[in-house]
Amino acid sequence: MIVTDSGFADGERLVLDKPLVEELRRRREEVLTALEGDVPVYGVNTGMGRLAGVALDARQQAEHQRNLLIGRAVGGPPWLPPADVRALLVVRLRDFLQPWSGVSAELVQFLVDRLNDGFTPAVPRSGLGSSGEIIPLAHAFQTFLGIGTVLEDGVEVPAATALASRGATPYVLGPKEGASLLQGSPLAVVHAQRGWTDARQLIRLQTLTEAMAIDVLGAPREVFSPAMAGGDDHLRSVLSSLGGLAGPGPVRAGVVQAPLSVRVAPRALAHASRVNAELESAFRRWATMPGDSPSFVGGAFLPGTGYHAVDLGLRMDAVTAALVHLGEVSVQRQHRLLDERFSGLPAQLTRDPGPQAGLVPLHKRAVGELHALRRLATPATLGSVDTSAGQEDVQAFAWAAGEQLRAAAAHLFAITACELVTASQARYLAAEGVPGLREAYEWVRSVVPVVEADRALGAEVQRLIEALPDALG
């Protein structure tokens, strides 16, 4: 994959476009020229944080960029998963391709080489109390200097050893490059992109489980009319999707209203869709804004606030809360599917109630997942504390909001799997359902066959959970 000014796609071997290399070199010359003289440039010829007023002499400047990465690597395990580390490096590469960066073509090439050879720094995923992401970024990029550790098959290896095994020598930082490696919020961007992807898929899957509940319970369809959406485009889209899946369908005799968890689910889905769309807009805007501080814009060094990713963090908190509510609705729907008073089916969805427990234990699994999910609803972005002797007195904690969002998504995938198996079993016992859901039922049963008699479902449900992020095409 050729890396150009317009970007690149992750997942393939990367090669820098020659015109881009020349452009990077031109920008770098402009930066180096602007650094000449005695004008203070934060983090280059001055200290950082509370020590920004300390001027550095030529000898100190020569060591400073390296020291920036070493002195801030104070984190520890647990480490980010390798896939997240690679994504972090990819976002940093995208940052460095922007005109306001001004790092050297050599640093960009070194980063590309490490992406190509599977170099995976050990990057902490918690205990990050800085105003930005200097702690994880210090761990990530000190390894380029042969310092710190990397992960190889889950084992920590000295970075110097890992570089040598790849035939690479440690990188020597030029002016401002250490400071640039520490700036911005690439980890928050990684979490926002991946959390948004998970949430989008969960909204699709929860729309499917809602349609299955409408089908199995024989719910009256009038409450799901798109005409009831008013000016809410997200609600109209959900209701239209449900109409396509559940169809007109038969209404169970004597049922005037479906359980509340079935009737209100479209509103919960519409809200989740809305806040997730806001998260998408936020992280796409993020790519258009300088993240370095100072950034080199219009021939001058301008201080920035790209380390304060509050717009990402608060939106990730909002998406997490929306997923928690979807989980609550889902678990309640499952309980109604298991109750013969609502379904008209054998109690607990077993042909032999009493001797057989049916799928009630599966609902208990979902309740346990919901219990863990609810505890993630507290906003992670709030809670600033003074650091740097008061120089840094506000933190965004956007990375923590991202960790919570992705943990919430994992629990909701498990809840969704439980509901899919429950709905599939209910439809099997009730015979043929609406045509729009036939393929979905068959897919669930291809992973978790119908339960003719009690059996250990744990491994089968886990396979379904693992398949859900890529389900539905």
Side-chain angles (χ1 to χ4, degrees), residues 244-269:
L245 289 167
V251 175
R252 185 171 167 235
V255 175
V256 177
Q257 285 190 325
L260 197 62
S261 56
V262 178
R263 281 182 281 145
V264 303
R267 287 195 176 272
L269 288 162

Side-chain angles (χ1 to χ4, degrees), residues 225-240 266-275:
S225 170
M228 300 301 292
D232 189 336
D233 292 338
H234 288 278
L235 181 56
R236 179 176 292 101
S237 177
V238 170
L239 293 171
S240 296
R267 287 195 176 272
L269 288 162
H271 174 71
S273 176
R274 183 178 299 105
V275 294

Side-chain angles (χ1 to χ4, degrees), residues 209-223:
T209 56
E210 164 71 358
M212 288 179 170
I214 294 170
D215 172 39
V216 170
L217 297 176
R221 303 311 201 262
E222 292 82 3
V223 71

Side-chain angles (χ1 to χ4, degrees), residues 13-44:
R13 184 173 181 80
L14 305 176
V15 179
L16 288 177
D17 186 44
K18 289 183 178 179
L20 174 57
V21 172
E22 293 304 314
E23 177 63 16
L24 289 170
R25 287 176 175 156
R26 184 191 66 76
R27 296 174 192 165
R28 182 62 175 169
E29 285 301 317
E30 290 183 356
V31 168
L32 293 177
T33 299
L35 288 174
E36 295 175 354
D38 298 326
V39 177
V41 179
Y42 179 75
V44 179

Side-chain angles (χ1 to χ4, degrees), residues 337-412:
L337 292 172
L338 289 160
D339 190 332
E340 68 276 15
R341 294 173 300 170
F342 294 97
S343 70
L345 299 173
Q348 303 185 180
L349 299 180
T350 175
R351 292 191 184 280
D352 192 12
Q356 301 286 330
L359 296 191
V360 160
L362 190 61
H363 179 255
K364 295 179 186 292
R365 163 73 186 274
V367 168
E369 297 286 350
L370 178 60
H371 181 256
L373 174 59
R374 282 172 169 155
R375 299 201 303 275
L376 297 169
T378 300
T381 311
L382 307 178
S384 294
V385 179
D386 270 9
T387 66
S388 293
Q391 179 71 14
E392 296 180 7
D393 54 358
V394 177
Q395 297 86 24
F397 294 114
W399 61 270
E403 285 278 352
Q404 288 194 175
L405 170 55
R406 296 178 64 192
H411 287 300
L412 187 52

Side-chain angles (χ1 to χ4, degrees), residues 271-282:
H271 174 71
S273 176
R274 183 178 299 105
V275 294
N276 204 43
E278 292 172 357
L279 175 59
E280 179 188 14
S281 296

Side-chain angles (χ1 to χ4, degrees), residues 252-315:
R252 185 171 167 235
V255 175
V256 177
Q257 285 190 325
L260 197 62
S261 56
V262 178
R263 281 182 281 145
V264 303
R267 287 195 176 272
L269 288 162
H271 174 71
S273 176
R274 183 178 299 105
V275 294
N276 204 43
E278 292 172 357
L279 175 59
E280 179 188 14
S281 296
F283 74 70
R284 295 196 187 284
R285 286 195 303 272
W286 197 261
T288 70
M289 298 181 290
D292 205 346
S293 183
S295 294
F296 191 65
V297 180
F301 291 103
L302 302 180
T305 55
Y307 46 82
H308 194 65
V310 66
D311 49 341
L312 297 177
L314 288 173
R315 284 179 172 86

